[in-house]
Amino acid sequence: TATVFQHPQIEAANCTVVDLSVGGVGLHSSGLHEIAEGDELFLQFNLDNKKKSLIKCAVTVKKVRGNLIGAEFKEESDFNPELGFYLMS
């Protein structure tokens, strides 16, 4: 489960991570949301690895189709090494 914020303190939606790659993330919103293409969001979620690593990142929304949201990681410098290791395993 990912918590999605439109600003660091304003929660926009609760979502499930359905796809994860080096370039971005696919989310499924569990309810109504006002997220639109072009929005900049802040995500917070735990990986399903042994450590349950916490990932916090900024993304730009590229696609919205109903409750499905596709977003691209905003900054390569924000890329979490834990996420890289997770994706390569």
Side-chain angles (χ1 to χ4, degrees):
T1 301
T3 304
V4 180
F5 300 90
Q6 286 190 314
H7 296 285
Q9 294 84 19
I10 302 173
E11 190 171 329
N14 281 314
C15 296
T16 301
V17 176
V18 293
D19 188 32
L20 191 58
S21 71
V22 174
V25 62
L27 303 167
H28 181 268
S29 173
S30 57
L32 296 175
H33 64 82
E34 294 184 16
I35 297 169
E37 291 179 15
D39 283 355
E40 293 183 6
L41 304 174
F42 303 92
L43 304 182
Q44 181 174 309
F45 61 93
N46 292 89
L47 297 176
D48 62 355
N49 59 3
K50 275 187 176 182
K51 293 191 217 175
K52 302 291 182 204
S53 304
L54 177 64
I55 304 297
K56 294 181 180 181
C57 56
V59 298
T60 302
V61 176
K62 294 298 182 181
K63 249 183 212 177
V64 177
R65 292 222 170 108
N67 286 356
L68 295 175
I69 301 160
E72 184 176 82
F73 293 121
K74 192 169 175 195
E75 300 280 336
E76 278 188 38
S77 60
D78 287 345
F79 189 77
N80 187 313
E82 292 277 342
L83 181 56
F85 183 75
Y86 175 83
L87 291 170
M88 291 183 4
S89 60

